[in-house]
Amino acid sequence: MTKIKKIGKATIVNDEYVIKESNNSDIYEYLKSRNFNYFPNTKYEDRKEIQEYVKEIEYPQEQKFYDLINITSLLHSKTTYFKENENELNSLIDDIINNINYLYSYYTDLITKIEEKVIMSPSEYLLARNISKIYYSLENGMNMIKSVKIPDKIRNVVVHNNLSLDHYIRNENEYLISWDKAKFDIPIIDLYKLFRRYPKFNYMMMLEKYEYNYPLLEYEKNILLTMLSIPDIITITSNEIENVRNIKRILINIDILPNYTNHEPQNKDPKQET
């Protein structure tokens, strides 16, 4: 009897292979040409991707995240090339500057309303006591992004563009799955999305691991650190516990970031694959 299981867009048949709509064969061929083979055996039939089903072992999420960072650095290392900057990074920097200006105005309006209150809630008091940290983060980010010097040629790689713990599988080997959104772009795209997806992990420690294998260029690092330093919008709601949690999370991220700004990665492992 055929055993079929649906997970998202994928259909798993008899725990042997996975079928889903896809048109990403070019990415797989390119990855193989660059000697990056960390994905299950895959073939295509009638615009359907048929991939070997890989059963994973269970182990701590912290270690799994660390391993995911490692294989991401390897992906970027093996697929690196340089191209002319056609204003892509300039547009990204303009967007970041506009976002910082918006957030500065947003927090100024928010704290003005809070400080007009006779009695603040715990979350409002927490924000009022620490608003200078948020302003510092925004100002530091603005100074950093305005100092970025973009070269004529920028570094591009294959970005998975959908990294998550669910898309990293390890048993006797290791694999990345779900390449549907993969594309050629700057390497920090993968890092930024991954770190924002898992705020509970110390992303600065993980970035150090990544740079051990694949050091970021100065302009890449400055852009990434700026993007990570920008706090989320805090909307004060009726759920006071959630308000406090959100504000504490933002403040913790702000405290983490400056510890890395002057840090240089350790020497590259001489045994790293090329």
Side-chain angles (χ1 to χ4, degrees), residues 132-159:
S132 60
K133 286 188 176 183
I134 291 176
Y135 283 142
Y136 168 80
S137 179
L138 293 171
E139 291 168 3
N140 188 51
M142 182 68 83
N143 291 333
M144 190 180 299
I145 200 64
K146 285 186 173 181
S147 70
V148 170
K149 296 179 180 178
I150 303 174
D152 294 333
K153 290 192 175 182
I154 61 176
R155 191 163 64 166
N156 266 30
V157 299
V158 171
V159 294

Side-chain angles (χ1 to χ4, degrees), residues 7 29 38 42 65 76 106 117 124 169 173 186 192 226:
I7 299 180
E29 291 303 315
Y38 298 88
T42 305
F65 194 85
H76 293 169
Y106 176 86
K117 295 188 175 183
E124 291 170 339
I169 298 174
N173 299 305
I186 54 177
Y192 175 72
T226 300

